[in-house]
Amino acid sequence: MYEVQDVRVDPASRRAWRGTEEITFSRKEFDLVLALISRAGELVSREELMRDVWNTTFWTSSKTIDVHLGWVRRKLGDDSRRPHLITTVRGRGLRFETQDPRTLPQTPIARTSSPTP
């Protein structure tokens, strides 16, 4: 059983919950969630997802992952414009967040000042 934030996934029974509500995923949607939540906090490349979820080393469609990810996000209630469960790191892959990034303290931007003469 994997439990991250308020999402639980049981690989043995192929069931998933968000809080107390059971979420029904298609086979590929479940496999995608499992591939991400089992490596929560880690960046998972699109190549790894194609291999692990679709059992292929070639791209059947550049939109395959995006389409399934959209369905998964909708079912989990994860806003694609401000995701807090599954984030996309452009050009690198996807990450199932271990904490809601919206609640993490913001790091102030360091500013350099010019030396005074």
Side-chain angles (χ1 to χ4, degrees), residues 78-84 102:
D78 196 20
D79 183 356
S80 62
R81 289 171 297 226
R82 265 189 94 207
H84 62 281
R102 299 172 305 181

Side-chain angles (χ1 to χ4, degrees), residues 51-65:
R51 183 191 66 225
D52 297 345
V53 177
W54 282 271
N55 300 314
T56 185
T57 56
F58 63 91
W59 291 86
T60 56
S61 167
S62 62
K63 294 293 181 187
T64 299
I65 293 172

Side-chain angles (χ1 to χ4, degrees), residues 98-112:
T98 57
Q99 296 179 51
D100 185 340
R102 299 172 305 181
T103 62
L104 296 175
Q106 296 295 316
T107 305
I109 297 172
R111 297 189 180 184
T112 56

Side-chain angles (χ1 to χ4, degrees), residues 76-94:
L76 290 174
D78 196 20
D79 183 356
S80 62
R81 289 171 297 226
R82 265 189 94 207
H84 62 281
L85 293 173
I86 302 170
T87 56
T88 301
V89 179
R90 189 173 218 99
R92 302 216 24 234
L94 303 169

Side-chain angles (χ1 to χ4, degrees), residues 9-62:
V9 174
D10 182 359
S13 66
R14 295 190 61 85
R15 295 173 71 192
W17 298 265
R18 174 85 196 263
T20 58
E21 181 183 342
E22 187 165 1
I23 307 294
T24 303
F25 288 119
S26 72
R27 186 171 58 90
K28 290 297 180 189
E29 290 167 352
F30 184 88
D31 292 344
L32 177 58
V33 171
L34 181 59
L36 293 170
I37 201 169
S38 67
R39 295 176 59 187
E42 296 177 33
L43 199 57
V44 182
S45 73
R46 290 175 170 269
E47 291 79 16
E48 290 170 298
L49 292 171
M50 288 302 291
R51 183 191 66 225
D52 297 345
V53 177
W54 282 271
N55 300 314
T56 185
T57 56
F58 63 91
W59 291 86
T60 56
S61 167
S62 62

